[in-house]
Amino acid sequence: MEPELSGTWYVLEGEPGEHLVMEALGQRLSGIWTSQALAEAFLARHPDLGMRVSSLESPALKEAFLRALAMLKVEAVLVDYQPGVHQARMARVEALLEVMRHA
């Protein structure tokens, strides 16, 4: 399931080029949140990450973020993921890039 492509995405980032990358079941994953409050709630549970919430509003910024994830060999993003939740929506990075290219 894809995140809303036209709305703002909120992501976690640290130093330039540093994005949240998690590994689960042999896959490299990252996160996209559809509200700032959800992203900040995730970050509040992991203050040791040393990251901040950033917003991606334009298609160009979203595509740049997805390209950076691809370079980090991230396979998919979890949408609105919160720790302790047993299910999360997931979207493949390559599929999102393809949609962004044709948007």
Side-chain angles (χ1 to χ4, degrees):
M1 175 178 267
E2 294 177 357
E4 176 59 43
L5 295 177
S6 61
T8 301
W9 292 355
Y10 297 89
V11 299
L12 301 184
E13 59 183 10
E15 298 301 318
E18 182 182 49
H19 299 290
L20 175 69
V21 177
M22 305 171 274
E23 291 198 28
L25 301 173
Q27 290 190 48
R28 291 176 61 86
L29 307 167
S30 192
I32 292 174
W33 289 267
T34 56
S35 81
Q36 186 171 354
L38 286 172
E40 288 176 357
F42 179 90
L43 192 56
R45 295 179 96 171
H46 301 285
D48 55 314
L49 289 175
M51 298 186 129
R52 65 190 169 280
V53 174
S54 294
S55 63
L56 305 176
E57 297 177 12
S58 72
L61 286 176
K62 292 173 186 176
E63 185 174 349
F65 172 73
L66 293 169
R67 288 183 183 279
L69 292 183
M71 289 190 312
L72 294 170
K73 301 199 182 331
V74 171
E75 300 167 63
V77 293
L78 298 174
V79 181
D80 293 334
Y81 174 70
Q82 293 299 311
V85 175
H86 295 290
Q87 286 188 328
R89 295 184 297 160
M90 187 170 80
R92 310 283 308 156
V93 170
E94 284 301 319
L96 288 173
L97 269 170
E98 190 63 29
V99 170
M100 295 304 295
R101 286 183 194 120
H102 298 340

